[in-house]
Amino acid sequence: MHREPVVIVGAGLIGLAIAYELARRGATVHVIDANEPGRAASWAGAGMLAPYTETPASPAFEAFCIASLERYPGFVAGVQGRSGVDVRLQLDGVVEAAYGEADEARLRARPRTRWVTRDEVRLMEPVLGAGVRGAAICEAEGQVDNRRLGRALLAACAALGVRVDARAGPVAIEANARRVLGVRGPLGFIPAGAIVNATGAWAGMLEGVPEHARVPVTPVKGQMLALAMPRGLVRRVLWIPGAYLVPRDDGRLLVGATVEPVGFDVRVTARGLGSMLEAALAAVPALGDLAVAETWAGLRPGSADGLPYIGGTSLGGYYVATGHYRNGILLTPATAELIADILEGRADGIAAFSPLRVHEGSAAAEK
Ligand SMILES: Cc1cc2nc3c(=O)[nH]c(=O)nc-3n(C[C@H](O)[C@H](O)[C@H](O)COP(=O)(O)OP(=O)(O)OC[C@H]3O[C@@H](n4cnc5c(N)ncnc54)[C@H](O)[C@@H]3O)c2cc1C
């Protein structure tokens, strides 16, 4: 492991979990965030842990998502133990309800899920409207309260001696022709043996990174809202046509989410809220009388090919962990472990996720 500190730029779930994992293994770690830790996409997300219900981009991605889900209980036990914060991990199943024939055929054919009849699903989730035909339930899936997980990771990092500079302003990487030297920002220069760019949707814009080591990241806006729900009205994460519902045990029912490639715009719009409420009320009319408790939006880090960028680059000591798009909360434990293994020299990384793939075509063209 590097003797000089590992500097992690970005304190979302990805950056904080990497810091936690490295510190657990004995590294000296310094995290820098331009704003509040755990408050960007990692705060805005729905916290679903659903590799089977979400449609994976490729077999390698699916395998990584499943591996991360399997790591969740152990990861959470460690973070909760060091932080004292309960992150409300619930692996009690995700239900996807079918309303049309095509939905039913698709869900009946889906692997690793159990088809339940209309009567069974209405016993499980009585709130579902009369039009439901049945549902697929994936019992291995569930949710975590991602806002609590951010707080827990921050506290666990502090307990392990990680230095976290919040609201540190924009930072820039300093490097010579071969490798990174450190990070410069309003707080001064911090020398680094290795730097991990975990700045989410902003990762393509980090100052000081040479062109040959950059990765293209596109922000994909997601709007959400929360309804104030009587306890137990919705019991499990519930997918319905055009929306999903996530019951939190603080009485909020999250309704999400829009998918909008509109740049760095986090406005909550009438159209965004309208589309989610229309879908939710069409499937579950009983939600119509609930009060709207909260609305928000966040930016998913989208990559060029739908796969994350995790690993080293052509600049020595410069690593990237971003592009997790819709699955960054799910992929937090596996990403942290993979980056820590790569930094320790114990793993080469997963070829499909290598940041080097971005420049492979152009390097070949130059030859
Ligand atoms: C509406 C919505 C719903 C979602 N639902 C789910 C879900 O159910 N399940 C799931 O797995 N995923 C979900 N996601 C995706 C998930 O939230 C993201 O993939 C994940 O949070 C990305 O985490 P991150 O740490 O990479 O980025 P972020 O949480 O965005 O953190 C990046 C951090 O970098 C900092 N930063 C940026 N630039 C700089 C700089 N130059 N210098 C210093 N700091 C900088 C920012 O201030 C920020 O704190 C959802 C996302 C959205 C928006």
Side-chain angles (χ1 to χ4, degrees):
M1 186 59 74
H2 298 268
R3 262 188 238 112
E4 279 184 298
V6 179
V7 173
I8 294 164
V9 187
L13 288 180
I14 297 293
L16 288 173
I18 293 169
Y20 167 77
E21 183 61 24
L22 287 170
R24 226 174 50 84
R25 298 184 190 195
T28 306
V29 189
H30 191 148
V31 184
I32 307 172
D33 199 292
N35 298 300
E36 258 338 296
R39 287 289 300 195
S42 298
W43 179 90
M48 289 180 295
L49 308 176
Y52 304 104
T53 302
E54 294 257 7
T55 319
S58 75
F61 189 61
E62 183 179 25
F64 195 53
C65 287
I66 292 168
S68 205
L69 178 64
E70 287 168 0
R71 277 171 175 72
Y72 242 96
F75 168 70
V76 156
V79 173
Q80 287 185 163
R82 286 187 169 86
S83 66
V85 178
D86 181 348
V87 304
R88 308 281 204 265
L89 176 67
Q90 277 173 251
L91 296 177
D92 55 357
V94 169
V95 177
E96 182 165 353
Y99 282 80
E101 242 175 78
D103 270 352
E104 179 174 342
R106 176 178 58 84
L107 292 175
R108 275 183 181 274
R110 199 165 67 191
R112 314 234 175 101
T113 52
R114 182 165 63 88
W115 174 257
V116 291
T117 63
R118 178 178 181 276
D119 290 348
E120 284 172 301
V121 74
R122 292 191 75 199
L123 268 180
M124 290 163 73
E125 296 292 345
V127 79
L128 281 170
V132 68
R133 298 170 70 98
I137 172 160
C138 180
E139 258 126 14
E141 297 181 336
Q143 60 155 309
V144 67
D145 185 326
N146 41 297
R147 295 182 184 177
R148 283 177 165 264
L149 181 57
R151 292 204 297 275
L153 274 169
L154 197 58
C157 281
L160 286 166
V162 174
R163 178 170 164 196
V164 180
D165 290 334
R167 297 174 300 278
V171 299
I173 293 213
E174 290 202 2
N176 62 25
R178 285 182 39 249
R179 61 174 300 109
V180 296
L181 302 172
V183 162
R184 188 172 295 282
L187 300 175
F189 180 74
I190 302 159
I195 296 171
V196 183
N197 177 352
T199 59
W202 297 267
M205 306 188 314
L206 190 57
E207 293 283 320
V209 178
E211 193 48 46
H212 63 84
R214 284 190 176 274
V215 290
V217 181
T218 310
V220 183
K221 174 177 169 179
Q223 303 188 47
M224 291 193 63
L225 63 100
L227 301 172
M229 172 185 77
R231 192 164 291 275
L233 184 71
V234 175
R235 297 167 186 171
R236 293 180 184 79
V237 174
L238 197 53
W239 282 48
I240 50 175
Y244 54 72
L245 309 173
V246 181
R248 288 282 204 254
D249 70 355
D250 60 6
R252 288 176 312 140
L253 178 65
L254 314 190
V255 183
T258 66
V259 178
E260 305 166 79
V262 291
F264 291 93
D265 165 14
V266 285
R267 291 173 310 130
V268 175
T269 63
R271 186 177 297 113
L273 293 181
S275 68
M276 290 183 286
L277 286 170
E278 196 185 330
L281 298 187
V284 191
L287 301 181
D289 282 333
L290 303 185
V292 175
E294 194 187 347
T295 62
W296 68 95
L299 301 172
R300 307 173 184 92
S303 70
D305 56 7
L307 300 175
Y309 304 114
I310 305 171
T313 66
S314 52
L315 178 65
Y318 177 61
Y319 300 82
V320 174
T322 189
H324 295 83
Y325 189 41
R326 297 179 63 132
N327 291 287
I329 300 164
L330 168 64
L331 289 174
T332 290
T335 301
E337 204 176 304
L338 183 58
I339 284 279
D341 284 349
I342 293 171
L343 260 75
E344 279 187 336
R346 292 211 283 153
D348 292 335
I350 295 170
F353 308 154
S354 169
L356 294 170
R357 73 188 187 275
V358 173
H359 300 278
E360 263 163 13
S362 50
E366 278 164 24
K367 278 181 192 159

